[in-house]
Amino acid sequence: MSTPGFALALHGGAGTIKKSHFSPAQEKRTRAALRSALELGVGLLTQGADALDVVEAVVRALEDAPMFNAGVGSVYTDTGRHELDVGIMRGSDLAAGAVCGVQHIAHPISLAKAVLLDGRHVLLGGEGAERFAQMQGFNLVSNDYFDHAERHKQWLLAKERAEFGHLETPDADASTSSAATGRTAAAPDKKFGTVGAVACDLHGHLAAATSTGGMTNKRWGRIGDTPIVGAGVYADDRSCAVSATGHGEYFIRACVAHDVAARMRYAGRSLAAAADEVVFQELAGMGGVGGLIAVDKQANIVLPFNSLGMYRAWQKQGEPPQVAIYQKQ
């Protein structure tokens, strides 16, 4: 049976993202990183690669891009270290793998995939996850591998303000509005740095992956939605693949990623309708800020967000690549 072709979408986080926040050079570098990751994934899909391998490769590339809060350039905890959380899921059989609180894995997304392929567990944390990594042949890196000067400045500012779990102070300009690919929530907003990818391959299979360094100055081993199956990541060939980014506590409570899939399966909603209902009604109604990217097996792509911006890129087979940052491009 023929398929509608491949589709790929990726994100680098959502939040108070305005053009005034960037120099021309910074914006150029950010767009280039998004485009490079997209080109990598599209190249693999064109060659017939499996969706799971594609989302892993794309997220690895984003983990290597220091302008995003995942891998190199991850934010600092209240103790001045980095704790990374990731999740990945395969839609053909609902297999999933995730790790949280890891501190010495250069590409956490690959460790999450190793958990998925091993099959005995879904979520491993902290030292146990790193012992599993060594058993799987992963090399450990020093925690300062993830250091980045700009993130360190953000951390010092957060400590000075006694903020826990925030990247920046609320933006007074946040207000209700709408646009074709995003609408702003009424509540003040912050940046929520996470990276993710969703793919539909040439065989019609789906996969999703999400990776993050969490929130600046986080305490007590805080874990957000990123490694939680059904919250920050979900994939089911019967519905869609979703990667989320935003204030993780709200995304966990709303089971955001699974809710999109469930509305499609049980209520017969289209991908676009299901995603909009979750992001702009359920999530926003709770006060949750952020967005998601999703694809279905018909190669439809949606990228809704209720914040001022979301780093994003996407492409369907036979169509030109798209890269965007702000609500209105």
Side-chain angles (χ1 to χ4, degrees):
M1 183 174 63
S2 62
T3 68
F6 65 73
L8 174 66
L10 59 93
H11 71 79
T16 307
I17 303 169
K18 300 179 180 179
K19 198 172 184 66
S20 60
H21 291 168
F22 299 90
S23 69
Q26 288 173 324
E27 180 172 338
K28 183 177 181 180
R29 286 195 297 270
T30 301
R31 288 182 180 273
L34 293 168
R35 184 176 293 274
S36 177
L38 182 68
E39 290 175 349
L40 171 65
V42 167
L44 293 171
L45 287 167
T46 301
Q47 298 167 19
D50 181 80
L52 185 72
D53 296 332
V54 171
V55 295
E56 178 204 11
V58 170
V59 169
R60 279 179 65 101
L62 294 171
E63 288 176 339
D64 284 337
M67 65 281 294
F68 305 120
N69 173 25
V72 176
S74 288
V75 298
Y76 291 76
T77 70
D78 67 326
T79 61
R81 296 180 65 78
H82 310 277
E83 297 178 357
L84 314 177
D85 309 326
V86 298
I88 191 168
M89 190 165 183
R90 181 170 59 200
S92 59
D93 59 358
L94 304 185
V99 297
C100 60
V102 296
Q103 301 184 36
H104 303 97
I105 305 298
H107 291 104
I109 192 62
S110 294
L111 179 56
K113 183 184 175 186
V115 173
L116 181 156
L117 295 176
D118 178 75
R120 289 175 290 176
H121 308 285
V122 171
L123 175 61
L124 300 178
E127 293 181 4
E130 294 187 348
R131 289 198 298 271
F132 172 79
Q134 291 178 289
M135 292 174 60
Q136 295 291 313
F138 284 75
N139 294 320
L140 302 187
V141 299
S142 172
N143 194 251
D144 61 14
Y145 171 87
F146 306 104
D147 285 357
H148 188 267
E150 188 61 32
R151 293 284 186 260
H152 193 259
K153 291 179 183 178
Q154 292 172 347
W155 175 58
L156 293 177
L157 180 61
K159 286 176 69 69
E160 179 182 332
R161 295 172 172 173
E163 292 180 344
F164 295 94
H166 296 160
L167 277 177
E168 59 182 36
T169 55
D171 191 310
D173 294 334
S175 60
T176 303
S177 63
S178 63
T181 57
R183 281 168 270 179
T184 304
D189 192 3
K190 302 174 178 68
K191 291 181 183 176
F192 300 103
T194 303
V195 305
V198 292
C200 173
D201 63 31
L202 288 174
H203 308 289
H205 295 308
L206 307 178
T210 314
S211 178
T212 189
M215 302 178 83
T216 291
N217 211 33
K218 62 184 179 180
R219 296 184 290 179
W220 308 309
R222 178 263 184 190
I223 305 297
D225 64 306
T226 293
I228 307 301
V229 172
V233 64
Y234 197 74
D236 184 345
D237 280 6
R238 297 169 296 181
S239 53
C240 62
V242 181
S243 174
T245 173
H247 194 156
E249 281 70 16
Y250 290 96
F251 281 67
I252 294 171
R253 290 162 55 194
C255 300
V256 164
H258 182 265
D259 195 10
V260 176
R263 288 167 188 261
M264 294 180 68
R265 283 193 64 200
Y266 305 132
R269 307 298 282 166
S270 68
L271 177 64
D276 276 8
E277 289 168 2
V278 172
V279 172
F280 302 120
Q281 296 177 27
E282 297 297 325
L283 186 63
M286 298 170 62
V289 177
L292 61 84
I293 56 174
V295 299
D296 63 20
K297 64 189 309 173
Q298 284 72 48
N300 296 308
I301 298 173
V302 296
L303 308 95
F305 55 96
N306 64 23
S307 54
L308 290 179
M310 182 169 74
Y311 302 108
R312 58 204 189 276
W314 66 99
Q315 186 172 358
K316 294 176 63 172
Q317 186 171 13
E319 297 184 6
Q322 304 290 330
V323 177
I325 298 177
Y326 316 110
Q327 187 182 105
K328 296 181 179 180
Q329 298 302 308

